[in-house]
Amino acid sequence: MLRRLSVSAIEPFKLHPDFKFKCGVEIHTQLKTKYKLFSLSPTGFNDNCNTKVSYFDLGLPGTQPKLNPEALHLALKACVALNMKIQPFSKFDRKHYFYPDQPLGYQVTQHFHPLANDGVLELNEFDNASGKIEIETVQLEQDTGKKYGDIIDYNRAGTPLIEVVTKPDFKDINQVYAFIKKYQLLVRHLNICSGDLETGAIRVDVNISVNDNPRVELKNLGTTGDIVSALKYEYTEQVKRLRAGERIVQETKSWDGYVTKASRSKENAIDYRYVPDSELPGIHLSPEIGDEIRASMPEYPDQLLSRLTSEPYNLQLAHAKNLLIEPENLRFYETFFDKLNHPDANKWMFQELITAFAKLDKEFDVNVISPDTLVAIARSEYSLVSKRLILRYIVENHASLEMAIANLNLASDSQAINIDELCLEIVKSNLDVVKRIHDGHKNAIQVLVGKAIKVTRGKVHAKVIKDTFDKLL
């Protein structure tokens, strides 16, 4: 059976100057709350099937919703971060449709009176893209259940979401990719959402049109790779159809990893029969709420990236972005950098410490080693090889610095090793290497140095060993 290939996989992709690309994005973001939006069910949708549900989540008659204030606060944080105009009054509406994952028969959303509107997120040098992307609305709403074959899991039903709807400001696919990555970093850094597309914490729909023809919506794209591939494929297909004189119709499509497929004609608002929710009161907010939340916010990612890539840190952008994803790692790095106060701080953090974890196939964990311990290792008089052995031992065994030094037998005086005798023995045992050195291959001496370092387990500096070999040869 031949594997299907999308157009983008077999032809180089490029935008055609005669066919204008236009795109808007809708991002559904799960809020990082303890409880669901309208019930006291815990938000644990990855737990055992249907173990995190209440009567309201299942749509049982007589149950009443009650707004979770934590979800409202996180939604407002997102609005502030996206430079939105927070509305003093917003209200919930019912979006009616019948599908097994929606037991109420409607979704509670904010169609008529959203939480905020008229925002903007600017792309810059940290995003490898440029342009201002205007955001139409941010709406607070509830998530649906999830269907697994014949089984429906309602653990996710009622999880708080914000729907972020942009204007069709994207003029190329790189802008779309950069915007999604920037948005991920923003909500993750501000602890609004886990930021993962793969787990469904963020789900993206894109609306694409060519030459201002009717737009096509591509729904539930699971990764940034899917978003890019689906947009490339759909753009290429629409260009082909327009060149052939065909008409583009407004519709909704899905992406199967290779091609986009029509799933239904695009519904209009009337198809959902939006009506105000009669069981939920409106949200009345102080005009100063945005300023109050802004005053409590930490540094934004762009501010942090600017600081970390400048003096005195001078971090590579990739390293800085990785630190932003994990706040504990960022705190560890800044503490270590200030304590060591040495130009090699970045080398010790990323080339030595992170590498020690990676070589053992472990995720970096700030609980395994403290900044003070790493400073002590970096400032010690041991050779670099010994320092690496210490780091590896601590990471592998969750040991203290003292235990690592004792168990590696590094506390003994390196002068107890007779370097002259050791190097002479290595020379006698490796006459083929000695011949290569005498024949003009001077770098071959590093083979002998390496053998001596291995025997001494890093207790003697490499320069002392090399000088000894130079004398002997």
Side-chain angles (χ1 to χ4, degrees), residues 19 40 53 80 112 150 172 179 186 241 245 255 300 419 442:
F19 295 92
L40 287 176
V53 293
V80 170
F112 295 113
D150 295 330
D172 62 58
F179 180 87
L186 185 65
R241 292 176 62 186
W255 170 251
Y300 286 176
I419 301 301
K442 301 296 184 185

Side-chain angles (χ1 to χ4, degrees), residues 16-22 209-214 238 242:
H16 300 276
D18 296 333
F19 295 92
K20 185 178 70 173
F21 174 94
K22 183 190 275 188
S209 68
V210 177
N211 284 353
D212 292 321
N213 280 282
Q238 289 192 32
L242 290 171

Side-chain angles (χ1 to χ4, degrees), residues 77 81 185-191 293-309 313 324 327 330-331 334:
K77 280 180 68 176
L185 186 61
L186 185 65
V187 296
R188 183 181 282 146
H189 175 68
L190 296 176
N191 208 30
I293 291 175
R294 191 174 293 106
S296 68
M297 298 277 260
E299 281 181 288
Y300 286 176
D302 279 355
Q303 294 171 310
L304 267 168
L305 291 174
S306 179
R307 181 163 64 83
L308 292 173
T309 55
Y313 301 103
L324 259 63
L330 176 59
R331 285 193 292 271
E334 290 183 309

Side-chain angles (χ1 to χ4, degrees), residues 32 64 383:
K32 212 170 177 182
Q64 298 291 312
S383 69

